[in-house]
Amino acid sequence: MSDRPRASLRRILEDLGSTVLDVAASPGELDTEVTGVHIYDPLDELLLPAGGILLAVGVDRPDQVCALLDAAGPAAGVIVKQPFDADDRVRAKVRQTGVAVLGLTRAASWAQVAALLRSLLAEGDVTGSGEAPIDDLFALANAVCALLDAPITIEDRSSRVLAYSGRQDEADASRVETVLRRQVPVRYRRMLEERGFFRQLYRSREPIYIELNDDILNRAAVAVRSGDEILGSIWAAVREPLSPQRRQALADAAAIVALHLLRQRAGADTRRRLRADLLSTVLAGGADAAEAAGRLGVASERLCVLAAQLSGDGDLDAARRESDGQRFCDALALHVGAIHPKAAAAVVGSVAYAILPMHGSGEEEARAVWVAESFLTRVGPRHAANIGVGRMARNLAEVARSRADADRALRVLRAREASGAVAGYTGVHFESLLLQLADLVQAEEQTPTGPYERLLAYDAEHGSELAATLRAYLDAFGDVNAASATVHVHSNTFRYRLKRLIEISGLDMADPDARLAAMLQMRIFGR
């Protein structure tokens, strides 16, 4: 058993390897425990907790790095984009502060390294102890790499990379891209599917050998199973078929990986359920909200609630919807956590909720809307989602109201059939009220009354469109020319229809209450 911290800088560097990170300047030992990942924003005050890793986006000069090291306090490390020249000033500052400077390879993006680091930290949390488990996926990948003399990746059913070994630079460009993105590129996955390799892999209980083209090394692969369930696969980049001994080693590794994935899934499910339960308690705003907020480590004052939901996933099976929803929520949690260390997110039901602490600028809801919009921009069209934003809650007792606001704003977006949209509650307040009125009308089985009812009955009997004429007229504030253009008739024809509908319905156009009643009924009954 190792006595190093489960998430030390040394372990992260060993697991990620020089393909992603390298040491630019070291204070000596690299056994500092890493507690979280944070993104540098020059516009925000730098409040970095002990053990945090700071992603120094846009920082490339030695004097800037020295200033960050002074401000980073008890951080574990600062990551800068390569190429970076750590001069004598930087090295001296590193020794003085004890904060390491790491270099991120030029080919990797900040989003990729944030996801990699967060995955490694979550990996360490599975054990609940201070030691790295014997069957840790990265350690196992390195062990299989040594046995097979080939670089290894361990992937899930969606070809997302869960862990990988060293020596990836000995493989081909597709493998390096896979490791950096933590996902097999679509073009390679499609090629494997079209040539039937996935079908062959999942049907076989033994390792298979896959011959590719001149640009890509061949692969040896084995499915990772739990009974009949496929959990993932192990892939080795090789130049020739494996010997019988190495085939057996790969098969044995698959059994160990299966145990690890099952345990990891159980641990992750338990933690997620606990976070969801605690967040649900905070959102309810009852007597237990303060205790739940304390256990979650979230702020208790000046909060906004975000309610996010994937759109357009009705055609997916339940398991895929749940998986996509949880992955989306993980991305949301990373995003709000980078903005404020006391934010939190979890899936409650089918909605991903986030609690976001806000500064007292007086424009909290607008700021929260901006946070939501920036998140959807970052995740891109791959996650078609809508987000509703509640009003600012001054304390935990008002969080339930902010959550209700966010739910109502999200419902307005669904009613609009929007996708990839954000709405603050105050911006959609009237639409939300109309939806609530429609709920009341439906629950009490109410029907149209008065002039509007008479118009609907006349239209149904005679095949006319007098109700549509009235709606166009009211929507155009009585502008006959604009209203007639809306329904595509001549203005004289429109005037005749308007006169006819007044005769039939008995609607007093001079009475503002009568006009309002007709407009509300048209909106609520949706005819």
Side-chain angles (χ1 to χ4, degrees):
M1 299 288 288
S2 170
D3 58 359
R4 64 189 177 186
R6 72 168 185 266
S8 67
L9 273 181
R10 184 184 306 280
R11 181 183 170 202
I12 286 174
L13 288 166
E14 289 174 353
D15 288 343
L16 295 185
S18 59
T19 307
V20 179
L21 285 177
D22 206 350
V23 179
S26 169
E29 296 297 326
L30 295 173
D31 292 327
T32 305
E33 184 172 1
V34 177
T35 59
V37 183
H38 309 271
I39 299 174
Y40 171 63
D41 186 343
L43 300 179
D44 284 345
E45 182 182 359
L46 183 59
L47 298 174
L48 200 61
I53 285 184
L54 182 66
L55 307 185
V57 181
V59 175
D60 57 4
R61 299 199 315 269
D63 60 317
Q64 293 175 310
V65 173
C66 287
L68 275 185
L69 291 172
D70 280 331
V78 173
I79 299 179
V80 296
K81 200 71 172 282
Q82 293 177 340
F84 173 74
D85 181 21
D87 60 14
D88 291 340
R89 290 175 299 167
V90 173
R91 286 190 287 270
K93 187 63 68 175
V94 165
R95 289 192 297 271
Q96 175 190 340
T97 60
V99 180
V101 176
L102 309 179
L104 173 65
T105 183
R106 197 71 185 169
S109 72
W110 290 110
Q112 289 164 357
V113 75
L116 286 169
L117 291 170
R118 189 167 184 270
S119 176
L120 286 177
L121 294 177
E123 186 81 17
D125 289 340
V126 172
T127 63
S129 69
E131 298 179 327
I134 294 177
D135 58 343
D136 172 87
L137 279 183
F138 282 90
L140 181 55
N142 281 316
V144 178
C145 170
L147 289 172
L148 272 57
D149 192 27
I152 298 296
T153 58
I154 299 174
E155 302 170 12
D156 67 8
R157 274 296 301 266
S158 300
S159 295
R160 289 189 304 126
V161 177
L162 303 175
Y164 56 88
S165 71
R167 299 173 52 184
Q168 298 297 331
D169 54 329
E170 299 176 13
D172 45 62
S174 71
R175 171 57 69 81
V176 173
E177 185 179 352
T178 295
V179 168
L180 289 176
R181 294 180 179 275
R182 292 299 291 268
Q183 174 79 55
V184 175
V186 173
R187 60 187 183 280
Y188 295 117
R189 180 176 173 83
R190 185 178 298 119
M191 179 267 291
L192 294 171
E193 289 174 342
E194 290 174 350
R195 295 176 63 176
F197 289 131
F198 279 116
R199 185 166 57 252
Q200 181 184 355
L201 173 66
Y202 294 146
R203 285 179 177 176
S204 174
R205 292 189 174 271
E206 299 295 328
I208 66 170
Y209 181 67
I210 299 173
E211 294 189 44
L212 300 171
N213 54 45
D214 294 337
D215 297 328
I216 306 176
L217 287 180
N218 296 334
R219 300 289 195 265
V222 64
V224 176
R225 300 173 181 272
S226 173
D228 292 331
E229 181 185 2
I230 303 295
L231 302 176
S233 53
I234 307 175
W235 295 75
V238 296
R239 300 185 183 277
E240 59 187 17
L242 299 177
S243 66
Q245 293 83 2
R246 287 178 172 172
R247 281 175 53 86
Q248 186 59 48
L250 185 56
D252 292 343
I256 299 174
V257 170
L259 290 174
H260 182 95
L261 293 183
L262 288 172
R263 189 192 64 185
Q264 186 182 56
R265 184 168 68 183
D269 287 346
T270 299
R271 290 195 307 276
R272 281 172 174 157
R273 283 197 299 270
L274 176 60
R275 286 186 66 83
D277 289 344
L278 290 173
L279 190 66
S280 181
T281 301
V282 174
L283 292 173
D288 298 328
E291 180 184 354
R295 293 179 64 185
L296 271 176
V298 301
S300 59
E301 295 181 351
R302 303 194 73 83
L303 310 168
C304 274
V305 175
L306 278 60
Q309 190 171 43
L310 292 173
S311 56
D313 59 356
D315 296 333
L316 301 178
D317 59 74
R320 178 66 181 276
R321 282 198 303 272
E322 182 176 352
S323 174
D324 287 353
Q326 189 58 62
R327 196 177 306 171
F328 174 75
C329 182
D330 290 343
L332 179 61
L334 177 63
H335 183 73
V336 297
I339 292 172
H340 199 290
K342 289 193 173 184
V347 175
V348 180
S350 62
V351 178
Y353 290 99
I355 293 180
L356 181 64
M358 305 303 298
H359 300 299
S361 63
E363 297 182 354
E364 288 85 356
E365 185 181 331
R367 167 73 174 170
V369 167
W370 176 85
V371 169
E373 289 173 342
S374 66
F375 170 67
L376 291 184
T377 299
R378 288 188 178 186
V379 298
R382 185 166 54 90
H383 289 300
N386 295 319
I387 302 179
V389 178
R391 289 170 290 175
M392 192 271 293
R394 291 169 294 182
N395 49 54
L396 290 177
E398 295 182 357
V399 167
R401 187 205 66 192
S402 185
R403 185 253 183 99
D405 292 345
D407 283 336
R408 288 166 180 160
L410 183 61
R411 185 185 177 192
V412 169
L413 293 176
R414 286 198 299 265
R416 292 178 181 175
E417 298 183 352
S419 180
V422 176
Y425 177 72
T426 55
V428 296
H429 184 204
F430 181 69
E431 289 178 80
S432 175
L433 289 177
L434 288 179
L435 290 174
Q436 293 177 64
L437 280 174
D439 290 341
L440 179 62
V441 165
Q442 183 177 8
E444 296 182 356
E445 298 181 351
Q446 297 183 31
T447 58
T449 59
Y452 186 55
E453 177 191 19
R454 289 191 285 273
L455 283 182
L456 292 176
Y458 186 88
D459 283 345
E461 182 178 352
H462 297 86
S464 55
E465 296 182 355
L466 296 183
T469 300
L470 176 61
R471 181 160 194 162
Y473 179 77
L474 294 175
D475 287 346
F477 297 99
D479 186 333
V480 171
N481 291 328
S484 60
T486 301
V487 294
H488 308 292
V489 298
H490 192 274
S491 58
N492 288 337
T493 303
F494 189 89
R495 288 187 179 92
Y496 170 77
R497 291 183 180 179
L498 187 60
K499 180 181 178 181
R500 185 70 179 140
L501 76 84
I502 291 174
E503 294 174 351
I504 293 170
S505 66
L507 177 62
D508 183 0
M509 289 292 191
D511 184 350
D513 289 339
R515 295 197 306 270
L516 177 60
M519 292 182 71
L520 284 177
Q521 289 195 67
M522 284 188 285
R523 293 292 187 93
I524 292 170
F525 292 104
R527 302 186 188 183

